[in-house]
Amino acid sequence: MAFQEFGGLSERRRAERQQKLRKRIAIGAVSTLILLLLVACGFFALGYQSKHVTGTKSSDVTQPKKETLESIKAVKMVCSSTDYKNTCETSLTKAVSNSSPSEQLHPKELLRAAISVIADEVTKSINRTEKIKVNDKELRGAIQDCRELLGYALDDLETSLANVDKHEDKSVSHDLKIWLSASLTYQQTCIDGFPEGKLKTKMEESMVTAKEMNSNALAIVDEVASVMKMLGLPGFDRRHLLDEKENHPNGTHLPNWMTAGDRRLLKQAAAGNPEPDIVVAKDGSGGYKTINEALEKIPKDRKGRYVIYVKEGIYDETVILDKNMANITMYGDGSRKTIITGNKNFVDGTRTFQTATFAAIGDGFIAKNIGFRNTAGAIKHQAVALRVQSDRSIFLNCRMEGYQDTLYAQTHRQFYRGCVICGTIDFIFGDAAAVFQNCMIVVRQPLDNQQNIVTAQGRLDKRATTGTVIQNCRIIPDKKLVPLKGKIRSYLGRPWKEYSRTIFMESTIDDLIHPDGWMEWEGDFGLKTLVYGEYNNKGPGAGLAARVKWPGYMRITKEEAIKYTAANFIDGESWIKSTDTPVHLGLYT
């Protein structure tokens, strides 16, 4: 929802829920029939004993209430496909016990209950971090980051809750899984930020239920979608995002959820850059000399898209577009002319999460013709140039320069077109659903004892809809690496997390890439669960004869490759085309 407001349940949504009560009761009755059919088909077993009725002695009960039986059936059904069934059944049974009988059987109410359980657990974790008192600077920093990350997780869970009722089409399921995947990533990133020790162990143990229910919720989304389809709700299997279309100057269409101001700006963009609301110029020819000064002046009550033009110059500042700065367009005079630079790094004591020169957090961010740099150098190890959390974010003709960890594609849906990304170790990393098209990926010279790895994708769950897709790009060596590429090994990627997923397709791969193609993270970690694929690449480094023989590596077919196109993997048709950004929604060949 790049052009919409994001947040929790509003009073208006609460009123809408009350208005839909009668409809839910009717659908609940149909749901009951469906659930009974599922019982007959063996999808779940009742397994109910009268002694399990809360607050009642088994000797006092001869027959459980009908509503209780039906609720247990519903819970067992939606939990049947999850990986943590005990956690699922225990949590949901307790959650639905507080709802009315008419709501307990509705599939969406069970999904809502599952997400609410996660939100409650994340809130408890946030409260725990506020009570921790430590003197160690590193631990204090980890706690600070954790609190911030869990806040982002809670935001995504609230957004999910606010959209559970909007099952108008398959895009809603895609949205929910993206937000739930991001919530899970934030929780794990919180834990990863602690140094090894008792505090990290305690935090990890305290967040087990939240992480397990988060994984379960990803499975439940699919289960609910399946049941809703069985119920035959009108419009569930159709797309509506481009209904009430308005012709776009370039032949595309604008979706009806965009504001009039957004439509105006995009029409202006068809003929060039849009009219800016604020101009930043280092030489004093604009309204502000620094980007941060301009950000402070963005109206709090604004509506629609806000445009910032950053004139040519090198801006040495750390820029953070926080979660309240949604729907920002920022463009410059060229990725080698308008440059935002910094040098924060891990070696000098800054946590990797906080080393980013530029952080895009607010949803719907669009950057055009801008350079992002971290000049700390290879010797300083982790040093992020650009960190992106913004959902439905777009980077067009931008340049990201660094060494280790240049681009942190952290969460949500991201699209990169015509960009240049330079680095050495894991320099495209994170757990976003990110598609790179027509980009130049430049591998630089690392330290003498290092090897180069282009990607380090961090998917945490097999159902998470995240991964890195490199399509129609070029993977080439930097000029300084060219004479050393026979001595320094370079790889396409390695598994940062257990279910790491990375696809290289229709790209040109130079001979700097080692014949193995891919590198282990540590021993056999993730080699059976990762998803690494290559399709229709070319160039001297694209040969598959000597590629790794891991269970998770595959030479994907055309049919499989289609799943990773911008249209399917990040639902690009519903949001990228409407921004007038060039995009190839399918395969090139």
Side-chain angles (χ1 to χ4, degrees), residues 399-403 406 420-424 427 440 442-444:
R399 187 179 184 90
M400 301 85 178
E401 293 183 44
Y403 286 84
T406 302
V420 178
I421 306 107
C422 310
T424 55
F427 64 96
M440 187 175 293
V442 182
V443 184
R444 308 178 88 171

Side-chain angles (χ1 to χ4, degrees), residues 472-538:
N472 199 43
C473 295
R474 293 181 61 197
I475 297 86
I476 63 173
D478 180 75
K479 291 181 179 179
K480 291 184 178 180
L481 181 62
V482 170
L484 301 171
K485 62 185 179 181
K487 299 179 181 179
I488 297 174
R489 291 189 174 188
S490 298
Y491 298 89
L492 296 175
R494 61 174 178 167
W496 182 28
K497 299 297 182 182
E498 189 174 4
Y499 293 93
S500 180
R501 178 161 61 182
T502 305
I503 307 296
F504 280 77
M505 59 188 196
E506 302 182 304
S507 295
T508 301
I509 304 174
D510 210 333
D511 63 355
L512 77 157
I513 297 299
H514 189 274
D516 287 351
W518 307 82
M519 179 183 176
E520 301 90 347
W521 183 271
E522 184 176 0
D524 62 356
F525 171 77
L527 303 189
K528 294 181 180 179
T529 50
L530 59 78
V531 178
Y532 285 173
E534 297 182 60
Y535 170 75
N536 204 23
N537 296 307
K538 59 185 178 180

Side-chain angles (χ1 to χ4, degrees), residues 86 105 137 205 298 301 320 326 352 453 506 523 534 553 564:
N86 289 337
L105 290 176
K137 182 180 179 181
E205 290 173 349
I298 296 177
D301 59 348
I320 299 176
T352 302
I453 307 101
E506 302 182 304
E534 297 182 60
Y553 171 78
Y564 298 103

Side-chain angles (χ1 to χ4, degrees), residues 13 21 24 48 69 74 177 186 217 221 242 295 342 351 443 486 516 569:
R13 291 193 179 99
L21 180 57
R24 287 186 183 172
Y48 179 86
L69 279 170
K177 294 187 78 171
Y186 289 135
V221 170
L242 295 180
L295 294 180
R351 303 174 302 281
V443 184
D516 287 351
F569 193 60

Side-chain angles (χ1 to χ4, degrees), residues 108-354:
K108 289 182 182 178
E109 289 304 324
L110 293 173
L111 175 57
R112 190 190 314 281
I115 298 172
S116 296
V117 169
I118 309 168
D120 290 343
E121 291 295 325
V122 170
T123 300
K124 291 177 184 177
S125 295
I126 293 174
N127 293 336
R128 289 189 196 99
T129 64
E130 293 175 350
K131 296 177 182 178
I132 299 173
K133 305 297 180 183
V134 294
N135 294 321
D136 184 85
K137 182 180 179 181
E138 186 178 8
L139 287 176
R140 286 202 310 270
I143 293 168
Q144 177 184 332
D145 288 349
C146 183
R147 192 176 298 128
E148 180 180 348
L149 288 158
L150 293 180
Y152 295 140
L154 196 57
D155 289 341
D156 276 312
L157 294 170
E158 290 176 348
T159 301
S160 299
L161 284 170
N163 285 273
V164 167
D165 284 332
K166 299 179 180 180
H167 268 286
E168 297 175 356
D169 53 57
K170 290 182 179 178
S171 289
V172 179
S173 292
H174 182 88
D175 289 343
L176 291 174
K177 294 187 78 171
I178 282 290
W179 297 325
L180 290 170
S181 297
S183 172
L184 185 59
T185 298
Y186 289 135
Q187 293 171 56
Q188 185 60 50
T189 306
C190 156
I191 295 170
D192 290 344
F194 286 90
E196 295 299 327
K198 292 182 179 179
L199 185 54
K200 180 174 184 176
T201 300
K202 287 182 178 179
M203 283 300 300
E204 192 161 18
E205 290 173 349
S206 70
M207 294 174 66
V208 167
T209 299
K211 291 177 62 183
E212 288 184 352
M213 276 307 300
N214 213 134
S215 174
N216 288 342
L218 286 165
I220 292 172
V221 170
D222 289 335
E223 191 73 24
V224 170
S226 176
V227 172
M228 296 301 288
K229 186 175 181 180
M230 290 173 66
L231 290 172
L233 292 184
F236 179 73
D237 221 13
R238 299 197 302 270
R239 292 187 177 274
H240 292 293
L241 286 178
L242 295 180
D243 282 355
E244 301 179 21
K245 295 172 182 175
E246 175 181 322
N247 288 331
H248 188 279
N250 284 356
T252 58
H253 300 283
L254 300 180
N256 62 346
W257 42 259
M258 291 177 63
T259 67
D262 290 329
R263 296 170 188 239
R264 173 182 58 79
L265 288 174
L266 293 178
K267 286 180 179 180
Q268 292 175 352
N273 289 317
E275 186 70 23
D277 294 290
I278 288 180
V279 177
V280 180
K282 192 174 180 65
D283 62 8
S285 62
Y288 305 93
K289 289 186 176 182
T290 71
I291 298 169
N292 280 307
E293 287 174 348
L295 294 180
E296 290 176 0
K297 300 300 180 180
I298 296 177
K300 303 298 182 184
D301 59 348
R302 67 181 177 85
K303 295 182 180 179
R305 185 156 289 275
Y306 199 80
V307 181
I308 301 173
Y309 169 36
V310 184
K311 286 189 174 183
E312 180 176 352
I314 297 177
Y315 298 83
D316 189 354
E317 52 183 316
T318 298
V319 179
I320 299 176
L321 272 71
D322 66 35
K323 64 183 181 181
N324 297 314
M325 297 180 184
N327 306 321
I328 300 291
T329 292
M330 185 178 294
Y331 68 91
D333 287 323
S335 64
R336 289 182 177 272
K337 293 181 178 180
T338 298
I339 300 168
I340 305 168
T341 188
N343 62 1
K344 290 183 179 180
N345 62 85
F346 182 78
V347 170
D348 288 345
T350 303
R351 303 174 302 281
T352 302
F353 176 67
Q354 301 290 2

Side-chain angles (χ1 to χ4, degrees), residues 34-80:
I34 293 294
L35 292 169
L36 290 174
L37 287 173
L38 290 175
V39 173
C41 295
F43 275 79
F44 58 84
L46 178 58
Y48 179 86
Q49 298 294 332
S50 60
K51 64 180 179 181
H52 292 159
V53 179
T54 304
T56 307
K57 295 180 180 179
S58 60
S59 59
D60 298 331
V61 179
T62 57
Q63 186 69 26
K65 291 183 179 181
K66 180 181 178 181
E67 292 85 356
T68 304
L69 279 170
E70 291 173 344
S71 296
I72 294 174
K73 292 176 184 178
V75 168
K76 285 184 175 292
M77 185 274 289
V78 298
C79 291
S80 63

